[in-house]
Amino acid sequence: MTRRTGVRRLIGVALAAAVVPAAALVGRAFREPHDDMRDASGEDFEETYRGRHIRGTRGQVSMTSAHLGRKSGQRSGRWDVTVDGRPLHLMRRADGSYLSMVDHYQSYPTPLAATRGAVDELGDQMLRRPAR
């Protein structure tokens, strides 16, 4: 093998190592886009995704919100989400997107999409139980 052939092979391996992870991220970002927007209207969701039971409901108005003028019984912007019955904390970002504590480097357009992203990141692992 000549030096030129060795350098070409090395460059090919380096390019493949750089392109494959980027392609995986792009593919993940475009998975099932029509389903992710299903809950854009703010409706509760419950489904089985990749063998995990995920459920999300809008939280009720807290006492603090009631003092600020919201009526009791109205729904707040907070989501109560569980994966296999264990709580998953979601946070809403300033731009209106959501992120989870499992996958906090990626933003998602809806709570359902954020929950699915967390399930993707968890793989076979389970969320920990809440502290008592």
Side-chain angles (χ1 to χ4, degrees):
M1 174 168 69
T2 66
R3 182 185 298 179
R4 179 177 286 169
T5 303
V7 169
R8 284 182 182 166
R9 287 182 181 174
L10 184 61
I11 289 172
V13 169
L15 283 174
V19 170
V20 169
L25 288 175
V26 169
R28 182 175 163 212
F30 292 105
R31 75 182 188 320
E32 304 172 11
H34 60 282
D35 286 343
D36 286 346
M37 294 307 291
R38 182 178 75 199
D39 70 325
S41 64
E43 296 297 319
D44 297 349
F45 59 88
E46 185 169 5
E47 69 178 34
T48 300
Y49 177 71
R50 295 197 177 191
R52 300 289 188 98
H53 182 253
I54 61 175
R55 183 172 185 256
T57 58
R58 274 213 191 259
Q60 297 297 322
V61 172
S62 67
M63 292 299 284
T64 305
S65 297
H67 288 294
L68 294 174
R70 284 195 181 157
K71 296 178 184 175
S72 180
Q74 284 182 328
R75 296 182 137 198
S76 69
R78 185 177 60 94
W79 281 86
D80 296 320
V81 177
T82 59
V83 177
D84 292 335
R86 296 180 181 204
L88 171 69
H89 183 69
L90 293 185
M91 291 191 325
R92 186 153 191 181
R93 298 172 44 105
D95 64 0
S97 63
Y98 293 85
L99 59 90
S100 73
M101 292 296 98
V102 173
D103 187 13
H104 55 270
Y105 294 110
Q106 177 73 35
S107 295
Y108 297 93
T110 64
L112 176 60
T115 306
R116 287 178 174 173
V119 168
D120 291 341
E121 286 296 316
L122 282 170
D124 292 336
Q125 298 176 14
M126 296 290 290
L127 287 170
R128 68 179 179 89
R129 294 207 182 270
R132 295 182 186 191

